[in-house]
Amino acid sequence: MTSIVFNSVTVTRPLPRSGLQSGDDTGLIDLSPQPNLARRKSARARWHRVMLRATMPLVILLIWQLASTFGLVTPEVLPSPSDIGSAFAELVRLGDLQAALPVSLGRALTGLAIGGTTGLAIGLFAGLWRIGEGLFDAPLQMLRTIPFIALVPLFITWFGIGELAKLMVIIAATIFPMYLNTYAGVRGVDPKLIEAASIFGLSHRHTAWHVILPTALPSILVGLRYASGAALLALVVAEQINASSGIGYILNNANMNQRSDIIIAGILVYAALGIAIDLLMRMVEHLALPWRAKLVLA
Amino acid sequence: MAVSRRRLMTLAGAAALAAPYVRADERKVRLIVGTQDIALQETVNASKVLDGSPFDLQWATLPGPAAQLSGLYSKAIDVGLMGDTSLIIEQGRARTDWTGSNQPLQIVAGWRNLDRAYPPIITAVRTAANINTLADLRGKTWAFNFGGFNYLQYVLTRIKAGLKVSDIVPVQLVDTNAAAAAFNSGRADVFSGGPGPIIEALNKGTARILIISDDLDIPSLGVFTARADVLRDDAKSQALADFLNRVRLHWTWYANNLGAVERILVEKLKQTPDKAKYYAASGASVFRPLDDDLMRHEQRIADVLFESKDINKKIDVNIEFSRRFNQATVQAS
């Protein structure tokens, strides 16, 4: 009997006794991967990847804690990880974080839904029609450079001190990434594809629906990812306007009261939300773009 | 769920009975008062002075004087909270000259802690910077923020020290917290602003107070500013007088309940216990009458700001103060 190891597949080939007759009854060779070995190898690889990702943050945390413990970094400059952990626990114990998350996420998602849809609609209009480009592109390119934090007093004047003003800040922050990426995606469609659609006799509507939109979708989804991040960032500004709850409010309040431990705890909450939203967007991307290659070099 | 005729009749009857009360409630005057953080509203609520008030009070938190002024001009709020110099700057920079009949805003009440141990505004120096006299400020890095009486403290300290802007290294930041952060981290040698944000450095001895606002004749009052149309509206004006009277009663409660105030500051504002102790004690205030003596101080400030070119016209501060609420604010002060 000979054993050949080929690309993690062990092929066991009994020595033929006569003609094509192999050692077993069927005479077939099992070339399928051995499930247990493959699963073990895959789990080990995943564990390695997790460890690799976790090592550097853990080392940084350790150095940071040691620097704080030995007084190399004062709490005024940078609170220690344990202080930040206590601040986080304080927010949870008093129920502030639990109260803030639904309020802030509600605001962010509503603003994202309105701003994202508006940006998408304008982006498609400007991308597909010249009149749309003429009407919207130049004004939006000008407006997108305005720092929306500077607009707070104006937003109070225009939209009052209720939820509308807060939503408008988030909408203003989310329109532009969505618009820019949609517009770029639509305009970036390979002309040869449009030419092919024309040769096959597709109408403008069908070309837009079957060729341009699917081709622009990756760029549109990148816009959605940027816009969802912008919606979270805008909360800090929006929740300066007569807010009594929300993550932005917690950060602003901590800033006014010089609680840098709470500020960093709040930033970590933002980071967690950012990761959660990114995972969600990757899932959406995976579902919306099943044909897309998942190519990594190493 | 089936809706029976009997249930409908009961609901209609209940609605009819409740209607007069709902209408009566709708007739209540609504007063929207702006604050820059939730401290005042929390202590006022805790003092229960608003119980049974004949007006409907709504608080609005808008950090910073710019947001308060925007809220007032847009009529989103009726009364705003700011420092007493904010209207000097507003009047001094207004496109149309304010007169006794067209001023859009007026200060209706001002308060502060009268204890010299708790100065509202200070100029502090880092101990390591070796600054012992005002003259030693020359060449030092000085952190302060835009506008308001913190800025005034910086201007008047510098003038008193006989220094020009070019004699120091000014670090003008967006708000007092940013200026304090620069000072606390040792990036600036001098700080002008409220002592709260640097209290830990003062307590530890890494910083010390060089001069306080009282020594520079700065009234440094927290003030309520009302829109002119609110003051013209009899019902709102009456509600405002009632509100100010209740806030005055609240100051009495505040002084007698510093422990409760500290707890509010820790739980609601997330201050550290040490800071809460300081802020609670320093926040114990009384209303100051808006009288001739105060006007003299305010006028001097306006003149200094005009000379330092921070406002571009000479103004009369009297027109930005309304003295008609003195009776409500000063009775027991």
Side-chain angles (χ1 to χ4, degrees):
Chain A
M1 183 183 284
T2 56
S3 282
I4 306 161
V5 177
F6 180 74
N7 255 7
S8 79
V9 177
T10 308
V11 179
T12 306
R13 188 164 56 180
L15 288 169
R17 267 176 265 163
S18 62
L20 293 171
Q21 186 72 38
S22 61
D24 59 6
D25 295 338
T26 59
L28 296 175
I29 297 166
D30 182 10
L31 287 173
S32 61
Q34 290 192 357
N36 282 342
L37 181 68
R39 208 179 298 133
R40 267 203 308 275
K41 281 202 167 184
S42 154
R44 206 179 302 138
R46 205 179 306 130
W47 176 245
H48 272 283
R49 277 202 302 275
V50 170
M51 286 304 289
L52 195 69
R53 278 171 184 251
T55 305
M56 197 41 85
L58 285 173
V59 169
I60 292 171
L61 273 179
L62 187 68
I63 295 171
W64 179 3
Q65 182 64 52
L66 288 173
S68 299
T69 308
F70 292 109
L72 298 173
V73 181
T74 60
E76 294 84 37
V77 175
L78 186 65
S80 69
S82 55
D83 285 347
I84 293 163
S86 304
F88 190 82
E90 181 189 335
L91 290 177
V92 173
R93 184 172 48 80
L94 294 172
D96 295 319
L97 199 59
Q98 297 92 311
L101 278 173
V103 173
S104 286
L105 285 177
R107 282 177 185 142
L109 288 176
T110 312
L112 176 65
I114 300 170
T117 309
T118 311
L120 176 71
I122 301 174
L124 288 175
F125 185 42
L128 291 171
W129 288 282
R130 277 204 193 89
I131 185 173
E133 186 185 14
L135 281 174
F136 289 109
D137 193 55
L140 282 172
Q141 295 292 354
M142 282 190 291
L143 289 173
R144 79 183 175 91
T145 55
I146 296 172
F148 55 87
I149 192 163
L151 295 178
V152 169
L154 280 179
F155 273 44
I156 291 170
T157 307
W158 296 337
F159 306 113
I161 52 170
E163 281 301 304
L164 179 64
K166 298 178 193 75
L167 272 183
M168 290 308 291
V169 172
I170 299 169
I171 290 168
T174 51
I175 283 181
F176 303 114
M178 201 65 200
Y179 164 77
L180 283 175
N181 283 282
T182 305
Y183 175 76
V186 171
R187 285 298 164 104
V189 174
D190 189 344
K192 284 178 195 154
L193 289 175
I194 297 171
E195 200 183 320
S198 164
I199 289 166
F200 282 112
L202 262 68
S203 65
H204 284 316
R205 194 163 58 87
H206 281 104
T207 307
W209 186 249
H210 293 291
V211 178
I212 297 175
L213 273 182
T215 318
L217 203 53
S219 182
I220 292 172
L221 288 173
V222 169
L224 188 61
R225 272 167 94 168
Y226 273 121
S228 48
L232 286 179
L233 291 177
L235 279 174
V236 178
V237 180
E239 288 174 351
Q240 281 182 11
I241 305 172
N242 192 24
S244 53
S245 59
I247 314 166
Y249 166 77
I250 289 177
L251 281 179
N252 290 322
N253 189 46
N255 179 41
M256 279 196 279
N257 292 289
Q258 301 89 43
R259 285 291 303 271
S260 42
D261 50 348
I262 293 184
I263 293 174
I264 297 176
I267 289 169
L268 292 178
V269 172
Y270 262 93
L273 283 177
I275 290 171
I277 283 187
D278 198 57
L279 283 174
L280 189 73
M281 290 299 152
R282 275 169 192 250
M283 221 158 68
V284 170
E285 237 175 65
H286 182 71
L287 292 172
L289 310 168
W291 64 86
R292 217 175 175 197
K294 293 170 186 65
L295 179 69
V296 283
L297 291 177
Chain B
M1 184 179 70
V3 181
S4 67
R5 183 182 290 181
R6 192 173 180 174
R7 186 184 288 265
L8 277 174
M9 294 290 280
T10 313
L11 284 172
L17 282 171
Y21 296 100
V22 172
R23 276 200 293 272
D25 195 49
E26 278 171 359
R27 275 201 298 271
K28 261 188 168 183
V29 175
R30 189 188 224 198
L31 204 59
I32 306 175
V33 177
T35 55
Q36 297 197 18
D37 62 29
I38 58 167
L40 183 68
Q41 49 185 286
E42 289 292 343
T43 56
V44 168
N45 289 339
S47 71
K48 300 194 188 308
V49 292
L50 291 174
D51 287 0
S53 58
F55 54 88
D56 181 15
L57 181 75
Q58 191 188 325
W59 298 101
T61 313
L62 302 167
Q68 292 286 322
L69 288 166
S70 293
L72 285 165
Y73 284 129
S74 65
K75 301 193 175 180
I77 56 175
D78 299 314
V79 180
L81 192 156
M82 53 198 73
D84 58 343
T85 51
S86 291
L87 279 204
I88 291 177
I89 293 167
E90 201 57 16
Q91 193 195 162
R93 291 176 180 174
R95 213 174 293 167
T96 314
D97 287 349
W98 289 15
T99 65
S101 56
N102 79 347
Q103 72 278 58
L105 306 167
Q106 274 192 308
I107 290 168
V108 293
W111 64 91
R112 61 162 288 185
N113 187 331
L114 296 176
D115 187 345
R116 267 183 76 89
Y118 296 104
I121 312 293
I122 56 163
T123 296
V125 294
R126 287 196 70 80
T127 314
N130 245 340
I131 301 166
N132 299 309
T133 64
L134 287 171
D136 295 338
L137 292 169
R138 183 181 291 276
K140 301 295 182 193
T141 309
W142 197 331
F144 53 93
N145 64 286
F146 290 94
F149 43 46
N150 292 346
Y151 176 74
L152 191 69
Q153 173 79 14
Y154 149 74
V155 171
L156 290 183
T157 308
R158 182 171 51 73
I159 290 171
K160 194 169 176 121
L163 301 171
K164 295 195 286 282
V165 178
S166 54
D167 295 328
I168 59 154
V169 183
V171 181
Q172 192 161 13
L173 294 160
V174 66
D175 61 22
T176 189
N177 297 312
F183 182 76
N184 287 332
S185 62
R187 310 274 172 194
D189 306 311
V190 191
F191 164 80
S192 288
I198 63 157
I199 196 69
E200 276 153 359
L202 291 172
N203 287 344
K204 271 196 266 178
T206 52
R208 61 179 193 83
I209 295 172
L210 187 68
I211 189 164
I212 67 172
S213 51
D214 288 350
D215 297 331
L216 296 166
D217 278 338
I218 303 173
S220 35
L221 303 178
V223 299
F224 278 132
T225 300
R227 296 198 323 259
D229 61 299
V230 169
L231 298 176
R232 280 195 297 271
D233 181 326
D234 285 341
K236 282 223 170 187
S237 199
Q238 214 173 330
L240 178 56
D242 191 350
F243 168 71
L244 293 173
N245 187 42
R246 288 167 192 268
V247 175
R248 175 181 63 78
L249 295 171
H250 144 268
W251 289 129
T252 311
W253 172 89
Y254 186 112
N256 295 324
N257 292 277
L258 287 180
V261 175
E262 272 177 49
R263 277 195 298 281
I264 288 171
L265 297 181
V266 169
E267 284 172 19
K268 307 277 183 179
L269 279 91
K270 311 289 169 216
Q271 289 181 359
T272 58
D274 285 349
K275 268 201 177 143
K277 200 175 180 62
Y278 171 80
Y279 272 106
S282 69
S285 304
V286 287
F287 279 122
R288 175 177 176 169
L290 308 182
D291 54 16
D292 290 342
D293 180 46
L294 178 66
M295 293 311 122
R296 269 194 298 278
H297 283 88
E298 299 287 353
Q299 189 60 55
R300 184 180 155 266
I301 286 165
D303 295 342
V304 167
L305 288 174
F306 174 66
E307 279 159 31
S308 64
K309 296 188 172 63
D310 286 296
I311 56 174
N312 47 28
K313 57 186 161 197
K314 212 164 169 61
I315 58 165
D316 173 14
V317 296
N318 274 290
I319 58 174
E320 63 194 48
F321 285 85
S322 170
R323 302 190 190 192
R324 61 201 254 210
F325 297 96
N326 273 353
Q327 212 182 349
T329 57
V330 188
Q331 273 173 354
S333 298

